[in-house]
Amino acid sequence: MLSATQGREHISSKSLADFVGVNSWQIRKDFSYFGDFGTPGVGYNIESLAKQIKKILRLDVVRKAALVGVGDLGSALLAYPGFRTYGLDIVVAFDVDPKKIGRTVNGVEIENITRIATLQERGISLGIVAVPHAAGQFTVDKLVEAGVRGILNFAPCKIDAPRRVKVITLDIAMELARLPYYMPAG
Amino acid sequence: MLSATQGREHISSKSLADFVGVNSWQIRKDFSYFGDFGTPGVGYNIESLAKQIKKILRLDVVRKAALVGVGDLGSALLAYPGFRTYGLDIVVAFDVDPKKIGRTVNGVEIENITRIATLQERGISLGIVAVPHAAGQFTVDKLVEAGVRGILNFAPCKIDAPRRVKVITLDIAMELARLPYYMPAG
DNA sequence: CCATGTGAAGGTATTCACAGCC
DNA sequence: GGCTGTGAATACCTTCACATGG
């Protein structure tokens, strides 16, 4: 992946900085907030650094996630291999459409949305909302009731949830709408 | 939409702040950087405020966008009605799969990816990249060659592009991976 | 000698309180 | 009276330069 690290045990803040496109002191300062990871004169041990960062980001344990809404976007998420990289595992999907219920997409079975209440007993603490706009708040409410602790919401709407549940909303259209701001004309 | 504004011409910074969940002085300060929009004792004229903000964000003109990669995610984007809200119009899609080329999804025809070079002459200045990881950089290069000015990239990889082209990368798995950070345990 | 970690300087953003206008 | 726009005060984050440790 990072060619500069091939066959090396250590990496300097400078190399890391060049790779991600920032300055070396930013790397050092950021790391220092969480403790002393590096060795002066040598650099950072790559393996131990990765382990430390994963622990800080709480990515050291695999967490189970439930997907709600198996439309185009939901299907894309089920097909997406990238989640495993970050210690996330989509183990179940829900939908309202009887035609979809019972099917298996990428090894994940689609269940009736009424079964959403069983999440807690199954040890699932994350929810992914990929439903139409109008169903957004309702779906979040159900997930909260089911004891979920974090929600990634793709529905483009204002969401109310108790403070104990962290909601991250990803409005894809709004992200795209940021682009024109950087474009002088045309 | 915003029930507090129904039948009203003006809205106060307090109402706006409550609605989006911030403090009233933040609203006023932010607006003040771009000029005087409001009337003391009255508030902000809703219609004129919306117009001003759209102009600042360069959302007052409709821009054409091209989608590259019509997989699950690409299909979801084509089906998504939200883009129009922000003055964005996906007018063409590209793919490499001969089975997909020629089909029409949501009124948008899928063309052979080799036709990507015709973007400039068609007045298309935005690109949306929804291709697999490995094709990310290649696709971005082609879009840049085709004269695109802004790119929304869903491929989870490091992208190099000239400074004149603004690239916004949206790594969905990474967004989901932010959630565990806010969750004490479980 | 090399690269880290950090105190200090500088700059930027947030928060406040109030003068001024409708 | 009510609400805006803004200077002042505060907190925060970024940048730098260097002492310290391997």
Side-chain angles (χ1 to χ4, degrees), chain B:
Chain B
M1 181 168 88
L2 176 48
S3 63
T5 72
Q6 300 291 14
R8 289 162 167 279
E9 273 192 21
H10 294 267
I11 186 168
S12 71
S13 55
K14 181 74 172 59
S15 310
L16 268 173
D18 289 345
F19 185 66
V20 297
V22 298
N23 297 98
S24 60
W25 65 77
Q26 292 176 314
I27 297 276
R28 294 202 299 277
K29 184 61 115 180
D30 288 354
F31 286 180
S32 75
Y33 287 123
F34 298 98
D36 305 1
F37 299 153
T39 315
V42 181
Y44 299 90
N45 180 290
I46 293 169
E47 205 172 336
S48 117
L49 180 64
K51 204 173 290 180
Q52 290 289 333
I53 293 175
K54 277 190 179 164
K55 186 176 276 179
I56 292 163
L57 264 24
R58 295 211 174 80
L59 262 27
D60 50 339
V61 290
V62 176
R63 287 166 198 265
K64 297 181 193 168
L67 171 72
V68 187
V70 192
D72 285 314
L73 179 57
S75 302
L77 295 173
L78 286 176
Y80 188 54
F83 291 116
R84 291 260 155 67
T85 314
Y86 298 105
L88 301 161
D89 194 8
I90 301 179
V91 294
V92 61
F94 298 103
D95 206 297
V96 288
D97 187 347
K99 285 199 291 288
K100 290 175 185 165
I101 294 166
R103 279 201 209 164
T104 296
V105 178
N106 269 72
V108 177
E109 192 180 335
I110 303 173
E111 302 185 6
N112 191 310
I113 198 162
T114 56
R115 295 209 58 214
I116 208 171
T118 65
L119 288 185
Q120 192 154 34
E121 67 202 48
R122 289 200 260 177
I124 299 170
S125 55
L126 288 173
I128 305 172
V129 178
V131 302
H133 174 85
Q137 182 65 56
F138 174 82
T139 305
V140 168
D141 290 345
K142 286 296 162 197
L143 283 168
V144 169
E145 275 175 42
V148 151
R149 312 269 298 289
I151 293 173
L152 183 61
N153 170 48
F154 288 93
C157 55
K158 182 170 147 48
I159 293 287
D160 281 321
R163 187 113 22 114
R164 70 174 185 280
V165 179
K166 175 71 183 178
V167 178
I168 292 180
T169 291
L170 213 62
D171 186 338
I172 291 174
M174 195 178 277
E175 294 296 324
L176 185 55
R178 282 169 51 200
L179 280 174
Y181 181 75
Y182 300 95
M183 298 162 56

Side-chain angles (χ1 to χ4, degrees), chain A residues 1-183:
Chain A
M1 178 168 88
L2 175 47
S3 61
T5 72
Q6 299 293 12
R8 289 161 167 280
E9 273 192 20
H10 294 266
I11 187 169
S12 71
S13 56
K14 180 74 171 57
S15 309
L16 269 174
D18 289 347
F19 185 67
V20 297
V22 297
N23 297 98
S24 60
W25 65 75
Q26 292 176 315
I27 297 276
R28 292 203 299 277
K29 185 62 118 179
D30 287 356
F31 285 0
S32 75
Y33 286 124
F34 298 98
D36 306 1
F37 299 154
T39 313
V42 180
Y44 299 90
N45 179 290
I46 294 169
E47 205 172 334
S48 118
L49 180 63
K51 204 173 290 180
Q52 289 289 332
I53 293 176
K54 278 190 178 163
K55 186 176 278 181
I56 291 162
L57 264 24
R58 295 210 175 81
L59 262 26
D60 51 339
V61 289
V62 176
R63 285 166 200 267
K64 296 182 193 168
L67 171 73
V68 186
V70 192
D72 285 313
L73 179 58
S75 301
L77 296 173
L78 287 177
Y80 187 53
F83 291 117
R84 291 261 156 67
T85 314
Y86 299 104
L88 300 161
D89 194 8
I90 301 179
V91 295
V92 62
F94 298 102
D95 206 296
V96 289
D97 186 347
K99 285 199 291 289
K100 289 175 185 164
I101 294 166
R103 278 201 211 164
T104 298
V105 178
N106 269 70
V108 176
E109 192 180 336
I110 303 173
E111 302 184 6
N112 191 308
I113 198 161
T114 55
R115 295 211 56 213
I116 210 170
T118 66
L119 288 184
Q120 192 154 34
E121 67 203 49
R122 290 200 262 178
I124 299 170
S125 55
L126 289 172
I128 305 172
V129 177
V131 301
H133 175 86
Q137 182 65 55
F138 174 80
T139 305
V140 167
D141 291 344
K142 287 296 163 195
L143 283 169
V144 169
E145 275 176 42
V148 151
R149 314 267 298 290
I151 294 173
L152 183 62
N153 170 48
F154 288 93
C157 55
K158 182 169 146 47
I159 293 289
D160 281 321
R163 186 122 14 123
R164 69 173 186 281
V165 179
K166 175 71 182 178
V167 178
I168 292 180
T169 290
L170 213 63
D171 186 337
I172 291 174
M174 194 177 277
E175 294 296 323
L176 185 55
R178 282 169 51 199
L179 279 174
Y181 180 76
Y182 300 96
M183 298 162 55

